[in-house]
Each structure stands twice: as C-alpha cells, then as structure tokens.
Amino acid sequence: MGHSSGRGGIWLSKQDNTECERFLDKPVIILGVFILLVSLAGIVGSCCKVSWLLWVYLLVMFLLILLLLCFTIFTFVVTNKGAGEAVSDRGYKEYRLGDYSNWLQKRVKSDKNWNKIRSCLQDSKICQRLLDDSSSTKVQDFYKEHLSALQSGCCKPSNDCNFQYISPTNWTRMPSSSQANPDCSAWSNDPNTLCYNCSSCKAGLLDNIKRDWKRVAVINIIILVFLIIVYSVGCCAFRNNRDGWK
Ligand SMILES: *[C@@H]1O[C@H](CO)[C@@H](O)[C@H](O)[C@H]1NC(C)=O
C-alpha cells in the first residue's frame, strides 16, 4: 500500500502537461514518501512484532488519514471556481485571473513564483508552436482555432483589446484599440514578451493546474478509501493479537 501511494506521488508529478506547474508538486511528493515510510514502520512492526512501532504506525496513520482528508477537501474547494470564458465567434476561450480561487491567484501573483513560471513558459515554446502551425493563417481561420488555455492566455492579446491581427503572435495597436484591460498594455510583439506578463497568462496556467488538481483529488479519494480499509483491518488485527505479543 505504501508503495502504491509513494509511486502515486511521483506518477502525478510526471503527468504535468506543462513543466511549468512544477512549483506546486513538492508537497505531493513529500506526502507520498511520508506514507511510504509510515507503511514501512507498520510492516516492520507487524513482522517483527515490535509493539511500540505498531502503536506509532497506527497513530501516524490516523493523523495521515485526517491530513489527506483535509488536503482533499482543500483541493476541491480551491479548484471549484474558474473556467475559460467563451468569446463570441472565436474557437478558443479566454481566461480571467479573477475567476479563479483567491488562494490559487495568490500563488501566481507572487513575483518570485511568476518569474520562474514565465521563464519556463518562454523556454517551453508553446507560442512558437502556435506559429509553426499557423504563422500564415488568415485572421478568420485563426479565430476558429482551438487554443490551449496557455496559448490563449499567453500568446495573443485579449479579444477586448481590439488589436489588428497580422499573425498569431504579431498584432498591431489601432487608434480604436482599447486599453481598458491592463493586459492590453502588457502585450508586446517581442517573442520574449508577448503576453507572458498578462493576467490572462496566469489564468491560463491556473486553468491547467485546476484540471490537474481535480485529477489529484479523485486519486486522493481512492487512496483515502484504501487507507481507511487497511487502517481498520490493521487496528482489528492489532487489538486481537495484542495479548499474544507481550
Ligand atoms: C510583425 O509584422 C510586421 C508587418 O508585417 C513586421 O514588420 C514586423 O517585423 C512583425 N514583428 C514581429 C515581431 O515579427
């Protein structure tokens, strides 16, 4: 059981569709390793009939189940809010930072975190890939494209800026263009800037994180049920055998 949970943590961290979410992975891996160690204590305790080790195991396991339960509830609460918004006559959705939970927003609003994520996004070539696919796409065809959350948020200016399209990552400011959205002035045609400083880019990242965490929460529930069953069995066995072990 410890093994599967430990591997679960590492498996989950490999599932990222973007490397750039790594900054949230550490707790998951630490939890997996911790469960592994506790399980080892349980196995050693029961094999070698070390009574105190089993007590420690049962106590820590109980706390762990509580912790995992809280963590799972937290994950559901944090990923409850936020979704891409459909834009009329566009194949892609747009993403607004304010739609996501405050806790997640704080994570990406921190300059320290965002600087790391931004350089990761710049290296990841998500916007370059958009150009490879459709650098000569006509504007009508580009508007019909399905873009990933990160591509929509980070690689093009927001729809309400009313910029004129030249290529997916090259847009011209028009006299009629709006500046109401702060993202509009954050936009630059420089391939290293684009909309990487936009809040829509942060929202696009949060949309990915949200989807991944939903998956984590479901896996957590399965692990929880499993842990509770194993724990109950362990408790009963310990109670029944206690007299024989003195
Ligand atoms: C954007 O397009 C204009 C007009 O075709 C061109 O002059 C400019 O170099 C392009 N900018 C970038 C960054 O590709």
Side-chain angles (χ1 to χ4, degrees):
M1 162 213 55
H3 269 290
S4 63
S5 327
R7 234 185 287 134
I10 290 156
W11 176 77
L12 281 174
S13 73
K14 277 193 181 148
Q15 279 295 299
D16 289 343
N17 38 12
T18 51
E19 291 283 303
C20 311
E21 297 163 30
R22 277 286 150 89
F23 74 109
L24 283 171
D25 279 348
K26 267 192 199 134
V28 179
I29 296 172
I30 291 170
L31 194 65
V33 171
F34 190 61
I35 293 177
L36 190 85
L37 291 180
V38 174
S39 310
L40 278 180
I43 291 168
V44 171
S46 60
C47 286
C48 312
K49 305 205 167 173
V50 185
S51 191
W52 69 266
L53 209 51
L54 265 183
W55 274 115
V56 171
Y57 166 73
L58 289 177
L59 179 71
V60 175
M61 211 58 184
F62 178 72
L63 295 177
L64 206 64
I65 288 174
L66 275 187
L67 186 76
L68 199 59
L69 187 69
C70 295
F71 180 68
T72 306
I73 294 171
F74 173 75
T75 311
F76 270 112
V77 170
V78 152
T79 59
N80 189 34
K81 273 174 71 186
E85 290 170 14
V87 187
S88 63
D89 299 328
R90 301 286 186 270
Y92 46 79
K93 292 180 170 173
E94 292 205 331
Y95 300 82
R96 256 181 257 272
L97 191 54
D99 292 347
Y100 293 84
S101 77
N102 289 331
W103 188 85
L104 280 178
Q105 282 186 45
K106 267 196 203 126
R107 303 283 84 70
V108 290
K109 275 181 181 165
S110 132
D111 281 341
K112 189 166 139 273
N113 278 345
W114 188 249
N115 287 342
K116 263 189 242 151
I117 300 166
R118 190 183 48 215
S119 59
C120 175
L121 290 174
Q122 286 164 339
D123 290 344
S124 75
K125 308 241 183 304
I126 46 161
C127 297
Q128 186 57 44
R129 239 178 288 140
L130 189 62
L131 273 185
D132 294 344
D133 293 346
S134 55
S135 54
S136 54
T137 313
K138 293 211 178 60
V139 63
Q140 306 93 312
D141 296 330
F142 176 71
Y143 284 159
K144 283 187 206 129
E145 278 195 38
H146 296 279
L147 304 180
S148 72
L150 279 174
Q151 285 178 328
S152 169
C154 310
C155 307
K156 60 161 196 54
S158 167
N159 191 53
D160 55 19
C161 299
N162 275 321
F163 290 172
Q164 194 186 38
Y165 173 95
I166 297 170
S167 83
T169 58
N170 191 344
W171 299 70
T172 313
R173 275 193 179 78
M174 304 300 284
S176 63
S177 293
S178 159
Q179 298 285 339
N181 184 343
D183 282 358
C184 300
S185 40
W187 171 264
S188 158
N189 286 335
D190 174 358
N192 282 320
T193 310
L194 298 180
C195 222
Y196 291 126
N197 290 317
C198 296
S199 59
S200 60
C201 187
K202 299 176 181 180
L205 185 87
L206 289 191
D207 201 72
N208 277 358
I209 288 175
K210 197 191 114 164
R211 213 165 326 136
D212 290 349
W213 279 32
K214 277 259 159 75
R215 225 170 27 209
V216 170
V218 170
I219 293 169
N220 271 353
I221 288 176
I222 296 170
I223 294 176
L224 254 179
V225 170
F226 197 60
L227 281 184
I228 290 171
I229 293 172
V230 170
Y231 185 76
S232 316
V233 171
C235 265
C236 291
F238 185 54
R239 203 179 49 210
N240 293 341
N241 285 334
R242 199 167 42 187
D243 297 333
W245 287 9
K246 274 181 185 159

